Amino acid sequence: MQRDTQVFNLINQELHRQRSGIELIASENFTSLQVMQAMGTVLTNKYAEGYPGRRYYAGCEIVDQTEQLAIDRLKRIFDIEYANVQPHSGAQANAAVHLAVLNPGDKILGLDLSMGGHLTHGSPVNYSGKLYEAHFYGVKKETGLIDYEMLEEKARTIKPKLIICGASAYSRDWDYARIRKVADETGALVMADIAHPAGLIAKKLLNDPFDHCHIVTSTTHKTLRGPRGGIVMMRKDFENPFGLKDNKGNTRTMSALLDLAVFPGIQGGPLEHVIAAKAVAFGEILSDEYTDYAKQILKNAQALAKAFVDKDYNIISNGTDNHLMLIDLRNKNISGKKAEQALVKAEITANKNMVPFDDKSAFITSGVRFGVAAVTTRGMKENDMQFIADSVDKIIMNAEDENIITSVKKSVNDFMLQFPLYPELG
Ligand code: DSN
């Protein structure tokens, strides 16, 4: 068959885009070459519905081993007893948890999307807000910090079956113990979605959610630097407190219910090529090199936040504990949308984001979100953060000036030559 030059030319263009620009989207990263190589393998040809040793297809002896490796390595990373590595994405991981512990109409309590939460934490446009009765807590206006009093009050009055913590645009650590306390008092389960800070939690640089949250979900492609995908985890299996039954009417442990929820509940055949890539990434996370990487993420985030504050940028909550920061641009007289568009012209990729109590819509927004996981993978250190802040500032202060944008783009492209990406790919 002839090589599909149309598609491969586009893939090469994307490689060039990733190499030449500054990637600040907080949910993105660059996998190692071996993680990508594992994905582009014959494992994509294999159907393997079920779990290692319990499949509905023949010929799974090899993929049983790659999937088991991924499970075992993930358990070692977080010191946990249960891991399901099959969810195709973080949204699927969350859907599986919901299916396992909730019935349609049950009450859930999550962080409001407009305050930094996630679609799958109950947004009305998502299945989680359509199938379940979703309630929300937020952040405090004065501090930008999670409003734990509001969370506690809502838990006590609403009595949700599930409290969801975790966020996609929150730069501070979480008090998981406090959330568990009110959950125990009100009879709720706690699920933590650690998709963003998982890599920092893996290296104990942030609070550990596993002792306090019954179930923990994550993506594998953000700070964990693996292939695009999801995972569901528990430190300890526990008896299902609501007496939920499987389709045969048997009451099961949570691990059995979660496995059933991923498959056959919401997914069919697992992506065994992606699971092999997860195994490779998990092996990398167990290395000292990754520990250094995670520590460097924190140093870079601190340096970038300071550089922005020095230029009078308003970071929500006044700083960051993790890899990201959310900036309120209202004192700079530009919307998140305009800022995003101008930054992209200079090959600086970041995304517009609502800030808490935003007066603009999700399409316009008053904020922009920056994360340093990807630039840290490129090899940047604290000193390099000043160049990023200077370049972003020049664009934001001159978003209509095409000459300035062109000159910043050139300096960005030159700067990035110092940080080679996938040199093996030619
Ligand atoms: N869209 C992802 C993010 O950027 O945070 C979360 O799903």
Side-chain angles (χ1 to χ4, degrees), residues 97-110 120-123 126-136 158-164 187-189 240-245:
V97 175
H98 293 154
L99 184 70
V101 306
L102 300 170
N103 288 312
D106 279 348
K107 294 172 185 167
I108 59 175
L109 177 61
T120 55
H121 300 181
S123 164
N126 183 259
Y127 78 88
S128 56
K130 291 180 190 287
L131 289 183
Y132 310 112
E133 185 185 313
H135 298 264
F136 301 99
I158 293 158
K159 299 217 183 309
K161 201 164 178 185
L162 181 69
I163 300 176
I164 302 170
L189 287 181
N240 108 51
F242 305 120
L244 296 171
K245 296 184 173 31

Side-chain angles (χ1 to χ4, degrees), residues 304-316:
L304 185 61
K306 180 174 182 316
F308 278 127
V309 169
D310 288 347
K311 290 177 179 297
D312 192 32
Y313 280 84
N314 175 12
I315 298 181
I316 302 296

Side-chain angles (χ1 to χ4, degrees), residues 175-180 190 208-214 235:
D175 190 344
Y176 302 108
R178 185 166 177 181
I179 296 172
R180 174 61 183 264
V190 184
D208 182 343
F210 285 94
D211 276 339
H212 307 292
C213 304
H214 299 90
R235 176 151 292 155

Side-chain angles (χ1 to χ4, degrees), residues 239-409:
E239 293 302 319
N240 108 51
F242 305 120
L244 296 171
K245 296 184 173 31
D246 65 14
N247 59 345
K248 294 193 178 105
N250 298 318
T251 307
R252 307 284 293 264
T253 59
M254 285 313 306
S255 58
L257 288 174
L258 287 169
D259 278 350
L260 284 168
V262 174
F263 170 81
I266 59 163
Q267 291 189 174
L271 309 177
E272 292 297 341
H273 55 308
V274 177
I275 290 172
K278 287 175 180 172
V280 174
F282 297 157
E284 292 175 355
I285 292 166
L286 287 164
S287 71
D288 292 341
E289 193 193 334
Y290 185 90
T291 308
D292 294 341
Y293 165 67
K295 289 181 180 162
Q296 190 63 47
I297 288 180
L298 282 192
K299 289 185 200 161
N300 287 353
Q302 294 296 326
L304 185 61
K306 180 174 182 316
F308 278 127
V309 169
D310 288 347
K311 290 177 179 297
D312 192 32
Y313 280 84
N314 175 12
I315 298 181
I316 302 296
S317 84
N318 279 326
T320 179
D321 296 330
N322 56 31
H323 63 299
L324 67 80
M325 61 211 70
L326 180 59
I327 294 187
D328 186 338
L329 292 169
R330 281 178 285 200
N331 65 335
K332 301 290 179 184
N333 250 338
I334 185 171
S335 70
K337 183 179 178 182
K338 272 238 159 78
E340 179 187 293
Q341 286 170 342
L343 287 167
V344 163
K345 284 190 198 164
E347 295 197 30
I348 299 172
T349 320
N351 65 289
K352 65 178 182 288
N353 212 106
M354 287 183 89
V355 294
F357 309 96
D358 209 324
D359 51 337
K360 299 192 183 75
S361 76
F363 290 106
I364 308 293
T365 81
S366 296
V368 64
R369 184 184 67 161
F370 295 117
V372 299
V375 292
T376 306
T377 297
R378 293 293 297 263
M380 288 190 201
K381 300 281 190 287
E382 298 95 296
N383 290 344
D384 301 308
M385 298 301 111
Q386 192 63 50
F387 176 83
I388 294 182
D390 289 345
S391 306
V392 167
D393 181 52
K394 258 186 228 155
I395 297 291
I396 284 179
M397 301 311 285
N398 302 281
E400 309 286 346
D401 188 328
E402 295 297 330
N403 288 333
I404 291 184
I405 291 175
T406 306
S407 94
V408 173
K409 174 179 176 309

Side-chain angles (χ1 to χ4, degrees), residues 25 27 118 168 196 222 351 369:
I25 291 182
S27 46
H118 188 255
S168 56
H196 271 272
K222 298 184 177 92
N351 65 289
R369 184 184 67 161

Side-chain angles (χ1 to χ4, degrees), residues 105-167:
D106 279 348
K107 294 172 185 167
I108 59 175
L109 177 61
L111 177 62
D112 198 314
L113 181 62
S114 69
M115 302 263 174
H118 188 255
L119 282 169
T120 55
H121 300 181
S123 164
V125 297
N126 183 259
Y127 78 88
S128 56
K130 291 180 190 287
L131 289 183
Y132 310 112
E133 185 185 313
H135 298 264
F136 301 99
Y137 55 93
V139 299
K140 288 192 169 160
K141 201 165 190 176
E142 322 79 67
T143 59
L145 299 174
I146 294 292
D147 189 340
Y148 288 99
E149 286 82 22
M150 181 185 192
L151 186 157
E152 286 161 344
E153 196 196 312
K154 290 216 172 186
R156 288 186 186 115
T157 49
I158 293 158
K159 299 217 183 309
K161 201 164 178 185
L162 181 69
I163 300 176
I164 302 170
C165 53

